[in-house]
Amino acid sequence: MATEKPVTPTEEQLEILEYNFCKVNKYPDPTTLCLIAAETGLSEEQTLKWFKQRLAEWRKSEGLPSESGSVRD
């Protein structure tokens, strides 16, 4: 009961997630994350996990280190 089974976001959920990642904020604060989760119908944990994975992909594509501990602009 402690672990949540992986969920693959629907195309509509992905559009919302991608829009927020690209146009709004790559580093959403807890309030924004909660609003995105509510809009997509995903849990906050699922939404946070998606953002972490997407950020790692983005950093890799930009040639940046994958650790999130680096300085932000």
Side-chain angles (χ1 to χ4, degrees):
M1 209 186 337
T3 59
E4 199 173 286
K5 66 179 182 179
V7 173
T8 303
T10 65
E11 193 172 318
E12 185 178 332
Q13 289 168 326
L14 281 173
E15 285 178 19
I16 295 167
L17 292 165
E18 281 291 340
Y19 174 82
N20 281 283
F21 182 84
C22 295
K23 304 277 194 236
V24 180
N25 192 349
K26 289 176 178 47
Y27 305 93
D29 59 58
T31 303
T32 304
L33 196 67
C34 181
L35 292 170
I36 296 168
E39 187 177 359
T40 60
L42 299 170
S43 71
E44 288 181 53
E45 292 78 20
Q46 291 166 326
T47 306
L48 179 60
K49 185 176 181 180
W50 184 90
F51 265 88
K52 285 182 175 180
Q53 291 173 336
R54 183 63 179 86
L55 185 60
E57 287 175 21
W58 176 79
R59 292 179 68 80
K60 186 176 180 182
S61 73
E62 295 292 312
L64 300 169
S66 59
E67 310 87 54
S68 58
S70 62
V71 178
R72 297 184 201 166
D73 291 275

